[in-house]
């Protein structure tokens, strides 16, 4: 797989399709509910966990929502870089 | 971070230290995002300062919600990231044509990114997609889809322009995409089921 095609990028993933044959589609957490657990998602990822498994509703949302995805990238970077609150910056 | 529930000098010291941390993150985040905004150094630092100030207020207001399930810093930095996004949204429209959302879909298969390599009849597919954008979306859905997906306008910037919020814009975008999928399916094209890309 060479990553998402342009069409996938334009249309996002199918909200009505489930991952397995029997499973119901994962419910998209939405922006506000996603924000409430974004720190847990990021911590799990930084710890080498599987946040998409633990928080599937947020994983789905991050695939579809460019704004929350950008927040996620920012938090991942800052939590990794400045997570252990050292001495005050200059 | 018990200091946030302390009083007197200890509280003040804790708040000052937290503000410094938040400001460091805000500066980093502003610089990470500011690539195409054309803002000068002082303007960017202004955004970072405001974002850190507002994030500090949010952290103080919500510190009672912190359950210790993550590091406090990760929990708190969320507010910085959110504030930076919102504040940069304010600056986005400067130096940009006001009619950005009027069209754009006509330029669909442009040089922006490669044409899908798994779609043989991509010419027809783009025509069908263009027709669906033109004919099947509501005005609002079309504006949101064109601005955010085709023109890359940040959602928070667009929400601000609409006098709306991120959640509401996301809902419109979601509905627009679902509508386009169903239009393509009705026209005999199967849109990809899901991206393999990890969030
Ligand atoms: Zn979102």
């Amino acid at each position: 797989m060479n990553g998402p095609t342009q069409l996938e990028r334009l249309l996002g993933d199918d909200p009505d399709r489930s991952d397995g044959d029997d499973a119901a589609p994962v419910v998209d957490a939405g922006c506000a509910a996603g924000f409430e657990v974004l720190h847990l998602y990021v911590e799990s990822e930084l710890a080498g966990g599987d946040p998409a498994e633990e928080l599937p509703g947020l994983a789905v949302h991050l695939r579809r929502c460019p704004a929350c995805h950008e927040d996620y990238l920012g938090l991942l970077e800052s939590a990794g870089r400045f997570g252990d609150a050292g001495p005050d910056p200059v | 971070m018990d200091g946030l529930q302390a009083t007197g000098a200890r509280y003040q010291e804790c708040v000052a230290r937290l503000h410094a941390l938040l400001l460091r993150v805000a500066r980093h985040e502003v610089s990470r995002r500011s690539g195409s905004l054309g803002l000068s150094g002082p303007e960017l630092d202004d955004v970072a300062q405001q974002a850190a100030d507002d994030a500090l207020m949010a952290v103080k207001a919500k510190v009672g919600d912190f359950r210790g399930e993550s590091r406090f810093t990760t929990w708190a930095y969320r507010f910085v990231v959110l504030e930076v996004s919102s504040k940069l949204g304010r600056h986005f429209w400067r130096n940009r044509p006001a009619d950005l959302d009027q069209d754009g879909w006509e330029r669909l298969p442009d040089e922006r990114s490669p044409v899908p390599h798994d779609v043989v009849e991509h010419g027809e597919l783009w025509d069908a997609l263009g027709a669906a954008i033109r004919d099947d979306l509501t005005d609002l859905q079309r504006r949101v889809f064109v601005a955010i997906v085709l023109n890359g306008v940040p959602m928070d910037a667009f929400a601000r322009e609409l006098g709306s919020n991120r959640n509401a814009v996301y809902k419109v975008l979601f509905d627009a995409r679902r509508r386009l999928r169903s239009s393509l399916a009705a026209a005999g094209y199967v849109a990809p089921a899901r991206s393999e890309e990890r969030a």
Side-chain angles (χ1 to χ4, degrees), chain A residues 28-32 34-35 58 61-62 64-69 71, chain B residues 155 166-167 170:
Chain A
D28 186 332
C31 301
F35 180 78
L58 178 53
H61 184 69
L62 293 179
R64 295 178 187 158
C65 179
C68 291
H69 189 256
D71 288 357
Chain B
M155 279 170 66
R166 182 191 290 192
N167 255 313
Y170 176 69

Side-chain angles (χ1 to χ4, degrees), chain A residues 38-51:
Chain A
L38 185 60
H39 55 301
L40 303 179
Y41 194 99
V42 162
E43 289 264 303
S44 167
E45 181 157 346
L46 288 174
D50 187 355

